[in-house]
Amino acid sequence: MKITELFFTALRSLLTNRRRSILTVLGIVIGIASVITIISLGKGVEKATLKNLQASSSGKQSTVVDYYADDLNSTASGFEASDLALINASQTSFGLVKADIVSDNDGSAESEASINGADQNVTVKLLKHPSSDLEILSGHNISQNNIMLADPVALISKKLATSFYSSVNQALNTSVTINGISYQVIGVFKEDMGLDDVAISKTTYERSNNGEAGNKLKLTFNRGENVSKQTKKIVSLLNKQGSHHLQGSYEHMDMGAILKGVGSVINGLTYFISAIAGISLFIAGIGVMNMMYISVSERTQEIGIRLAIGASPKSILLQFLLEAVLLTGMGGVLGFGIGCGLAWLISLFLPFRAVVGLESFILAFGVSAIVGIVFGIFPARQASKKNLIDILK
């Protein structure tokens, strides 16, 4: 019997007992849907976690190199124009698009300041927005307008004001010079545990320093470059020839390796949970086997007639095996659709979106087909081994 005839014969047999077939396939649908839902959400978590590893919309990738001075009290910046020239000289070999010095990246900077004619090492708080955490004792706070216009205005702490002036009020409208730029003092604030001495606009600070010095270097690479490998080369070069390599060290945190490790852990957890959910497929497989055994016993007369008209035991085995695979295959396709829909619905309430790929469909259909073969082979073999003489008796 041709494979197409076997297919339609198996399909007609399943449709003859629709209710039983539907109830049997329900276990496969639930199992596959559970696995696909978990894997799709797991892939969504992985994609969101590894987002920083992906290239930008233009295909470019970036990373950051930090400078750490051996002298913790040093206010000298680790990166200067000479470092940019050193890196740019080998820009092509590194696959670099550009290198930029970042003057500050964590909201504060150590700097040397001149207050009332005296030099002082200060901690500068860089404001992206007006700070409500600062308690103004005299004068007024830096406004959003000051920040947007990059006005050279500053707030100083009560400690600095009383150290260099007779009172906090006398400090108002004076100037404080930071890195050669003069800022007008418009207010005095109460120290927050003494951590900050001066507060200025981050925009003003970065514009006034023209990105010529800082302790962070942002590297932008071409599409497809091995960012970790190339950054290590640049760090090695800086530690040998950098402007301050004798006073400190240049370091790079390989976020790529860290995030890939996180991704592997997420993948492991996803597949572990999926395996637990897949136990329902084993239970469903037993249900398929039970149904097929019942079907074989009920259709003894049909098997006898087919053997009598010349059907081979092999064709009998293939027909019943095909019925089991059709049953689980339909369950796999249905389960895949339901799983995708469920994952999408759940992801609407999460900060990431479920990811469904072709491999998920192949997994759903492949696993369901394997379940059909594994749990359908024994009933099919029993059907193929029936003896015509015994059936006629």
Side-chain angles (χ1 to χ4, degrees):
M1 185 180 284
K2 294 180 179 179
I3 191 68
T4 52
E5 293 178 6
L6 283 174
F7 177 83
F8 287 112
T9 301
L11 188 60
R12 281 195 298 270
S13 299
L14 292 175
L15 293 176
T16 301
N17 298 287
R18 294 181 183 179
R19 184 175 297 177
R20 186 167 64 188
S21 297
I22 291 171
L23 291 174
T24 304
V25 85
L26 192 59
I28 301 293
V29 171
I30 293 172
I32 293 293
S34 301
V35 171
I36 293 300
T37 301
I38 293 168
I39 289 178
S40 299
L41 292 174
K43 290 290 183 184
V45 172
E46 182 188 10
K47 184 177 180 180
T49 304
L50 302 180
K51 187 176 180 181
N52 289 333
L53 286 179
Q54 306 305 311
S56 65
S57 57
S58 62
K60 297 173 183 176
Q61 305 171 89
S62 62
T63 186
V64 174
V65 177
D66 293 281
Y67 171 77
Y68 297 97
D70 294 333
D71 181 2
L72 298 179
N73 295 318
S74 174
T75 58
S77 297
F79 294 102
E80 297 178 358
S82 59
D83 296 304
L84 290 180
L86 175 67
I87 294 170
N88 288 331
S90 305
Q91 182 172 345
T92 305
S93 62
F94 291 135
L96 270 175
V97 176
K98 62 177 180 176
D100 298 304
I101 294 175
V102 182
S103 57
D104 174 76
N105 206 35
D106 60 4
S108 64
E110 297 294 327
S111 184
E112 186 173 307
S114 175
I115 306 172
N116 201 16
D119 293 333
Q120 173 82 17
N121 289 329
V122 295
T123 301
V124 183
K125 183 179 182 66
L126 304 179
L127 304 176
K128 292 182 180 179
H129 307 287
S131 176
S132 58
D133 297 332
L134 296 176
E135 183 182 342
I136 305 299
L137 301 177
S138 182
H140 60 86
N141 205 343
I142 294 176
S143 68
Q144 184 64 47
N145 200 42
N146 293 139
I147 294 174
M148 289 177 63
L149 297 176
D151 292 335
V153 293
L155 305 175
I156 65 172
S157 67
K158 178 183 178 183
K159 178 181 177 181
L160 282 183
T162 53
S163 296
F164 291 95
Y165 302 96
S166 59
S167 68
V168 293
N169 290 330
Q170 285 193 356
L172 295 178
N173 298 318
T174 60
S175 65
V176 54
T177 303
I178 300 173
N179 291 341
I181 305 299
S182 180
Y183 296 83
Q184 181 186 5
V185 177
I186 60 171
V188 178
F189 63 90
K190 184 178 180 181
E191 299 89 342
D192 181 12
M193 299 176 63
L195 296 179
D196 298 309
D197 300 309
V198 180
I200 61 176
S201 161
K202 179 178 172 68
T203 307
T204 311
Y205 181 83
E206 292 185 341
R207 285 188 185 178
S208 62
N209 283 280
N210 296 317
E212 293 179 355
N215 287 324
K216 291 182 183 291
L217 181 70
K218 182 179 179 181
L219 305 171
T220 305
F221 295 88
N222 288 314
R223 180 196 298 268
E225 287 291 339
N226 187 326
V227 173
S228 297
K229 181 180 178 180
Q230 298 293 13
T231 304
K232 286 177 182 177
K233 288 182 180 180
I234 293 172
V235 169
S236 177
L237 177 65
L238 288 168
N239 279 317
K240 292 177 182 177
Q241 303 180 40
S243 59
H244 289 74
H245 72 281
L246 297 177
Q247 291 80 40
S249 61
Y250 299 90
E251 298 177 15
H252 162 60
M253 182 177 289
D254 193 349
M255 292 303 296
I258 294 173
L259 292 177
K260 281 179 181 175
V262 172
S264 298
V265 172
I266 293 172
N267 267 335
L269 288 172
T270 298
Y271 289 121
F272 174 71
I273 298 170
S274 298
I276 295 175
I279 293 174
S280 61
L281 288 172
F282 179 80
I283 298 170
I286 294 174
V288 171
M289 181 184 284
N290 182 56
M291 175 192 165
M292 293 307 298
Y293 271 123
I294 295 172
S295 180
V296 169
S297 63
E298 289 179 346
R299 294 159 62 187
T300 301
Q301 187 177 4
E302 176 193 328
I303 295 169
I305 293 172
R306 289 194 58 199
L307 289 171
I309 61 176
S312 66
K314 183 180 178 181
S315 67
I316 299 293
L317 183 144
L318 286 174
Q319 179 186 338
F320 281 92
L321 186 60
L322 194 56
E323 286 183 23
V325 173
L326 271 175
L327 196 68
T328 56
M330 288 188 291
V333 173
L334 269 173
F336 174 77
I338 293 172
C340 290
L342 191 58
W344 174 79
L345 187 64
I346 292 173
S347 68
L348 292 178
F349 302 95
L350 298 173
F352 60 87
R353 290 292 172 262
V355 176
V356 182
L358 179 61
E359 66 276 7
S360 297
F361 177 78
I362 294 173
L363 176 69
F365 190 77
V367 169
S368 59
I370 290 171
V371 169
I373 293 171
V374 171
F375 291 95
I377 189 69
F378 295 107
R381 287 186 64 188
Q382 184 188 65
S384 68
K385 288 181 179 180
K386 282 188 178 293
N387 188 283
L388 179 59
I389 303 301
D390 292 336
I391 294 173
L392 292 175
K393 289 180 180 179

